[in-house]
Amino acid sequence: MNIDIQHFKTLLENEKNTLEKDLGQIGRKSDPSGVVWDSISQENEEPTDRDDVASSIETFDNNESAILVLETQLHEVNHALEKIEKGTYGICEVSGEEIEVERLEANPSARTCKSHL
Ligand SMILES: [Zn+2]
């Protein structure tokens, strides 16, 4: 294996920091491990008319789906970091072959090679 693990580890740790920062802005950890995040509720805001109620609910829905996306990405990044610890990083989880470097450059948390997307 000729890939630069340290390079990808740095990329993954940067991505993890960014994801956790983004999650921190729209949600809060609902468990100490930080695996599950809740949307910050709008209950402290007093809606003054119907439009405000509607937009408040809409914001809540958007946060929920954004959190879901970020949570999934964070999960993938954590999984990749675990593989670095185990020494299996860069190995396709389907075929056990090496994942193409350019694929890892595009997506450092890729689990599989180009043949097993
Ligand atoms: Zn494969």
Side-chain angles (χ1 to χ4, degrees):
M1 165 104 40
N2 281 321
I3 65 167
D4 182 353
I5 296 279
Q6 193 54 48
H7 164 69
F8 289 107
K9 193 175 177 185
T10 305
L11 290 180
L12 287 161
E13 281 170 348
N14 288 343
E15 198 179 339
K16 184 176 171 166
N17 286 338
T18 306
L19 288 168
E20 287 184 337
K21 214 168 91 191
D22 288 351
L23 275 164
Q25 280 171 356
I26 54 170
R28 60 184 164 213
K29 289 179 188 183
S30 63
D31 71 321
S33 65
V35 177
V36 183
W37 292 68
D38 279 336
S39 181
I40 294 171
S41 78
Q42 313 284 320
E43 63 197 18
N44 294 331
E45 284 172 24
E46 290 272 331
T48 50
D49 57 43
R50 286 185 145 268
D51 283 349
D52 277 2
V53 176
S55 68
S56 157
I57 290 167
E58 201 174 291
T59 307
F60 188 77
D61 282 351
N62 287 342
N63 281 357
E64 290 275 281
S65 29
I67 284 171
L68 212 63
V69 171
L70 292 169
E71 245 179 26
T72 306
Q73 287 172 355
L74 186 60
H75 178 80
E76 291 301 304
V77 169
N78 281 331
H79 181 77
L81 285 167
E82 274 170 27
K83 285 172 76 171
I84 289 177
E85 295 301 316
K86 288 180 193 158
T88 57
Y89 183 75
I91 306 286
C92 172
E93 292 184 9
V94 177
S95 62
E97 288 165 30
E98 289 180 17
I99 300 173
E100 297 81 359
V101 174
E102 65 265 32
R103 178 157 157 72
L104 290 173
E105 287 286 355
N107 176 16
S109 52
R111 290 170 180 245
T112 56
C113 70
K114 283 178 180 171
S115 313
H116 300 104
L117 296 180

